[in-house]
Amino acid sequence: MVVNAYVRADGRVGVRNHVLVLPVSYEMNQIAEKIVAKAPKAVTFRNQHGVNQDGADLEQTMRVYEGFATHPNVYGVVILAWGHEPIDLESLVGRARTAGKQVQLVSLSTVGGIRKAIEVGTEFVNTYLAERDQVRRQPVPLSSIILGTECGGSDACSGISGNPALGVVSDLLVAEGGMSILSETTELIGAEHLLAQRASTPDIAAQILHIVQRLEDNAMKMGVDIRGAQPSPGNMDGGITTIEEKSLGCIYKGGTTPIQEVIEYAERPTRQGLVIMDTPGHDIEQITGMVAGGAQVVIFTTGRGTPTGSPIAPCIKVATNTDTYDNMADNLDFNAGLVIDGLETVEETGRRLFDKMIDVLNGEVTKSELLGHREFGIYRIGKSL
Amino acid sequence: MNVHWILQKNVDDVATALKRLPAGTKVTHANPDFDIVLRQDIPFAHKFAVRDIPAGTDVHKYGQVIGRATQAISAGDHVHVHNLESLRGRGDLQGGETGDVKRSSLSPK
């Protein structure tokens, strides 16, 4: 099966053709926003990271920036820096260039202040916006697609309708040779033994159990009952009582195929098929991690109707029940509630969702893109220093 | 498909309401053991017990353990945070407790 997409110089395939303004620290957020206000066809995001970080925590942030700057959905990137962040800007620019991106660094220290940074940044953005239309979509096999699966604002319907339907999409994509990412390690607690049984090797089984234990141990160290956060109050209103119950409903997103790989947050998967990325259950941090890892599209099931999207990847929002879909039609793309209403089987809904994904890959605009939802957040594994 | 409620696996102790089910609703099942009357209103997407569950025992949904009953639950009762608790991620308990999942002591990759 083929989709029409943008083939990049590094051989990766994009389904969008964005010009991204990437602020490497929160000091640069307002400058980035002012540039995009002058060139509204570009995209940016608000960043809370990039300074006073160190060690593995800083490396992880850097990995996210690299993932965004080299992402196949991006045509060109203007990297905005103050110039004094602990970020290796040379390496970031170099990697973007190696990936074949149009890239320019605008450093506040070098260009000489805010007004100049806005002026110079806007010029580069406008240049890239004018150039990007020269790149045309062309047919590529579906095997070049990485799908990020996500559930957020879950209710007890998530495990009955939305997530099993998304599992059908995962299975269909994997059958085509593509990749599907299952994440949200918190929401594997209580279901990890089922995933370990599906690991393609004993090593991968051990890694699955390890990342879940690592996360649970961290939660335990806080000395609190995880139920303060997981399930969330919204989950509980929606009928989910325990983290185990939530997890058992969550893992349906990954379908039924063997697990081929376990990767760290924001790492790029290397194996075709279903992979697990170690992310928290925080929706925005999770989407950011999967997109940084190369996911060109996200399918996001929601019982309560979440508003979130991604700066550079279309995010297909799937309602798990018809009431939520009807209530929030302006931010939801698809209704899986027909399963609950007894009008469709999971298989039928899943195939319809797969068709929707193909349309979106081919360029159909999602609600979160239309509404300009570009949430961004990085999973922190250290404290601000 | 029955559009009023769903029992995911036959071993499950709880079923999920697919619409709001008022107290007094009769729930019938191919298995006559499950012919029960709901004892409270069950909100949309919430759970009710399909059999009596003694206090302190595991509660099953999706054919798996989803937690433990904190009090005796009768068939037809609403099952939620007031009578069912997690066994996992319980940093509030001395030393924490875990479910019956086998733990791996393997180091990270």
Side-chain angles (χ1 to χ4, degrees), chain A residues 24-67:
Chain A
V24 302
S25 62
Y26 60 77
E27 282 92 341
M28 303 311 293
N29 286 349
Q30 292 216 313
I31 298 173
E33 281 170 20
K34 282 174 178 158
I35 292 172
V36 170
K38 287 173 175 287
K41 287 193 166 144
V43 294
T44 189
F45 54 81
R46 286 196 194 114
N47 191 353
Q48 297 297 322
H49 315 282
V51 290
N52 303 98
Q53 294 182 258
D54 204 353
D57 185 53
L58 178 62
E59 279 167 31
Q60 189 151 284
T61 293
M62 189 69 192
R63 201 156 65 229
V64 172
Y65 293 167
E66 283 169 5

Side-chain angles (χ1 to χ4, degrees), chain A residues 22-25 27-28 31 78-85 87 89 92 104-111 117:
Chain A
L22 196 165
V24 302
S25 62
E27 282 92 341
M28 303 311 293
I31 298 173
V78 173
I79 295 166
L80 267 184
W82 171 33
H84 304 292
E85 297 94 344
I87 300 292
L89 295 169
L92 187 59
Q104 197 64 50
L105 172 67
V106 176
S107 170
L108 203 60
S109 323
T110 313
V111 297

